[in-house]
Amino acid sequence: MLAASEDVEVRYKLLDRLAEARLQTDRLFDLVRANALYDRPIPERHRIVFYMGHLEAFDWNLLQPRIPGVKVFDPEFDRLFAFGIDPVDGGLPSDRPSDWPARPRVEAYRSRVRATLDAGLATAEELSPTLLHVAVEHRLMHAETLAYMLHQLAFDRKLPEAQVATLVFDAVRAEMIEIPGGRVTLGIARTDPAGFGWDNEYDALVCDVPGFRIDRYKVTHGEYLNFMEAGGYRQQGLWTPQGWDWKTREQIEAPLFWTRISGAWHYRGMFEASPLPLDAPVYVSHAEASAYAAWSGKRLPTEAEWHRAAYGSPENVEREFPWGSDLPEARHGYFNGARWDPSPVKAFPAGASAFGVEGLLANGWEWTATVFEPFPGFQAFPFYEGYSKNFFDGLHFVLKGGSPRTERCMLRRSFRNWFQPHYQNVYAGFRCAR
C-alpha cells in the first residue's frame, strides 16, 4: 500500500505519461491526409476516424465515473466510440463514411474530454493508479495498431515521415540453438510489487519446459522466399484445414507486406516500396508461419518455450530482459516508435538472450503455437471485464516480444499479445523450434 504522498507522486507521473501518449497518437493522425480520415485501410477494422474518437471515449468512460463532480456531456459519442471490432466469423463492417460525424465534431469532443479529465484528475485523490496505467497502455497499444492500419493506407493518402536509415549486414546463415530443459515463470504474481500488469498477466504460472532447439534469428524474407518458390502456398498438406480454407477463399498468395513490381517481389514499407530486404524478418499471419514451419520440418514454439529461450539461462535464473537487467536501449533494438519498417535480423547482437537467441524483443512480435487462454487464478478487471475474457475463445494465439512501434513499458517479461491466426496486418514474424 502506497503512502498518500507516494500515491500522489505516482499519479502525477502517470498523468505526464498520459499527456505524452496523447502526443504520440496525435502525431499518427497527423500523418493522414485530410481526405483520407474516413478511409478503412483494413477491412476488418473501423474507419480511421473511429480511432480518433475512441481513444478519448475509452479514457472518458473509464475515468469520468470515478472523478467526483465530472458530468457526462456527450453520451452519444461516449457510446459511438466505445468499442472497436475484431470479427471472427468472416463478417465485415458495412458502414459508410457518411455514417460518421464530421471531423470538427470529433476533434471538439476530443478536446473537451481531455480538458475535463485533466482538470478532474489533478484533484481526484481516490483514483487508483491502476486505472491510469490502463488508460496509458491502452492508448500506447493503439499507437501500434494504428501503425498497422496506416501501413495499409495508400502512399498518396498519408504524409511521409523520415525514417532511421536501414542497417546493412552480411548474409544470414540459418542456425538453431540448443535450449536445455528448465523451469519458467509465465505471467506475474499478484504479490509482485514491480508495477502494473493486465489481467491476463496474472497469476504467475510456473512450469517445466523440456529441452528443445530454436532458430537463432527470426525467419527472414530470403528464407520465406524459398518457401514461396518451392510452392508453399500451393501445398495443402502444409496448412491446417482452417488455414487452407482461409488462404483459398481470400486468394492469399504472398505475405500482405509484399508486392510485385516489374515481376519482382518488393517490400511494401510504410511510405514506399523497396526491393525485398532478404535479411530482414518477414511479417506474416499465424497460418502462414505455421505452414512455413511445416515445410521446413519444424514447428512454432510454445509460449513457455519462447519464454525459456528469451529469459532463461544455463544457471536456471530468469532474466528481466533477454540481455539482462538493463532497461531496453537502442543497442537492444528499435522500440518506442523509433522506426517504421523492420531491420536486418543480425542488427542487435546486444539484445541476445543468455542462450544466444537474437532479436527477441525487436523487429516484430513473434507468433507462438499457444492458444490465448487465462492462467490459473485469472480475474478479469472489474472496470474492463472484456479486455482479455472476450478473447478466450480458442480463436486467438499468443504473440511475444515486440516491434519497432512497441513502447518500452510493454516489453516487460509478463506481457502477452494475441491475434487471430488469419490476421496478416500485425508487425509479427516468427522463428521455428524443433
Side-chain angles (χ1 to χ4, degrees):
M1 187 76 176
L2 293 175
S5 59
E6 293 176 307
D7 190 70
V8 170
E9 182 179 357
V10 168
R11 177 150 47 90
Y12 276 98
K13 286 182 178 178
L14 286 167
L15 291 176
D16 286 343
R17 288 183 61 200
L18 180 59
E20 175 57 32
R22 287 172 178 170
L23 291 176
Q24 289 180 247
T25 50
D26 287 352
R27 284 194 289 268
L28 287 171
F29 290 117
D30 289 343
L31 294 176
V32 181
R33 294 189 183 274
N35 61 345
L37 187 65
Y38 292 80
D39 287 3
R40 193 200 309 275
I42 298 177
E44 298 92 341
R45 295 290 183 257
H46 278 307
R47 298 179 186 277
I48 298 170
V49 67
F50 165 82
Y51 298 94
M52 180 178 283
H54 170 67
L55 295 173
E56 306 326 312
F58 179 89
D59 291 352
W60 179 260
N61 291 331
L62 175 71
L63 300 171
Q64 177 271 330
R66 297 165 176 85
I67 305 175
V70 173
K71 299 185 182 302
V72 171
F73 64 88
D74 195 334
E76 177 192 356
F77 274 24
D78 297 346
R79 290 189 298 269
L80 178 65
F81 293 114
F83 299 108
I85 49 177
D86 183 30
V88 297
D89 57 2
L92 299 177
S94 58
D95 55 276
R96 300 163 298 176
S98 59
D99 294 331
W100 294 92
R103 179 171 189 159
R105 287 188 63 200
V106 180
E107 291 178 334
Y109 174 76
R110 178 175 67 178
S111 297
R112 186 169 177 182
V113 165
R114 291 183 182 181
T116 306
L117 284 182
D118 288 351
L121 291 171
T123 57
E125 297 181 0
E126 301 300 321
L127 190 72
S128 166
T130 297
L131 294 173
L132 291 175
H133 273 292
V134 166
V136 170
E137 290 204 3
H138 170 266
R139 186 176 288 268
L140 294 175
M141 289 180 199
H142 271 295
E144 180 163 355
T145 57
L146 277 168
Y148 305 161
M149 178 173 288
L150 299 186
H151 205 118
Q152 302 309 319
L153 192 62
F155 296 142
D156 62 358
R157 306 287 280 174
K158 53 194 170 187
L159 299 168
E161 181 178 270
Q163 171 155 276
V164 177
T166 301
L167 304 171
V168 178
F169 290 85
D170 296 332
V172 178
R173 182 173 65 86
E175 58 180 300
M176 299 193 81
I177 291 179
E178 195 79 33
I179 308 294
R183 180 160 293 184
V184 302
T185 305
L186 303 178
I188 184 172
R190 295 192 187 281
T191 56
D192 193 319
F196 171 75
W198 289 89
D199 56 8
N200 67 74
E201 297 176 55
Y202 297 97
D203 204 352
L205 174 63
V206 177
C207 53
D208 292 313
V209 178
F212 63 101
R213 301 175 73 202
I214 195 167
D215 291 342
R216 177 184 291 274
Y217 306 109
K218 287 183 177 69
V219 171
T220 64
H221 283 113
E223 291 171 305
Y224 200 84
L225 183 61
N226 293 335
F227 165 70
M228 294 268 294
E229 293 177 339
Y233 279 75
R234 300 189 299 274
Q235 298 180 43
Q236 185 172 354
L238 300 176
W239 300 73
T240 65
Q242 297 84 356
W244 183 259
D245 289 347
W246 163 75
K247 184 200 74 66
T248 304
R249 181 179 66 254
E250 302 297 330
Q251 300 181 331
I252 307 297
E253 297 179 345
L256 180 67
F257 292 87
W258 290 20
T259 184
R260 274 197 181 278
I261 300 177
S262 301
W265 286 114
H266 284 62
Y267 172 74
R268 189 181 184 281
M270 176 59 105
F271 300 111
E272 63 180 359
S274 59
L276 202 63
L278 299 180
D279 58 355
V282 64
Y283 290 164
V284 292
S285 68
H286 185 275
E288 292 166 298
S290 299
Y292 175 95
W295 172 77
S296 66
K298 305 174 187 176
R299 57 176 175 79
L300 296 183
T302 65
E303 180 180 7
E305 287 175 331
W306 192 96
H307 188 106
R308 172 71 175 155
Y311 304 109
S313 67
E315 300 79 28
N316 286 320
V317 175
E318 290 186 285
R319 295 177 165 187
E320 192 67 23
F321 299 100
W323 52 84
S325 58
D326 292 345
L327 293 175
E329 300 174 354
R331 63 194 177 95
H332 302 127
Y334 289 127
F335 314 114
N336 277 20
R339 184 174 164 81
W340 288 104
D341 299 312
S343 302
V345 295
K346 295 175 68 174
F348 307 109
S353 75
F355 296 115
V357 184
E358 298 192 25
L360 289 151
L361 296 189
N363 255 350
W365 296 90
E366 298 191 23
W367 289 107
T368 74
T370 299
V371 173
F372 182 56
E373 294 178 334
F375 293 144
F378 168 81
Q379 297 174 19
F381 280 158
F383 49 82
Y384 194 0
E385 289 193 351
Y387 173 71
S388 301
K389 189 169 65 174
N390 288 356
F391 301 95
F392 296 147
D393 54 9
L395 301 175
H396 295 76
F397 285 82
V398 174
L399 299 96
K400 295 291 289 185
S403 86
R405 308 306 300 182
T406 305
E407 292 294 315
R408 283 188 180 90
C409 60
M410 288 176 285
L411 297 177
R412 59 181 176 269
R413 193 173 68 189
S414 58
F415 190 84
R416 308 168 83 202
N417 199 356
W418 68 91
F419 279 97
Q420 295 182 49
H422 305 147
Y423 194 62
Q424 293 183 291
N425 297 280
V426 191
Y427 293 153
F430 67 102
R431 68 184 78 225
C432 297
R434 177 181 285 148

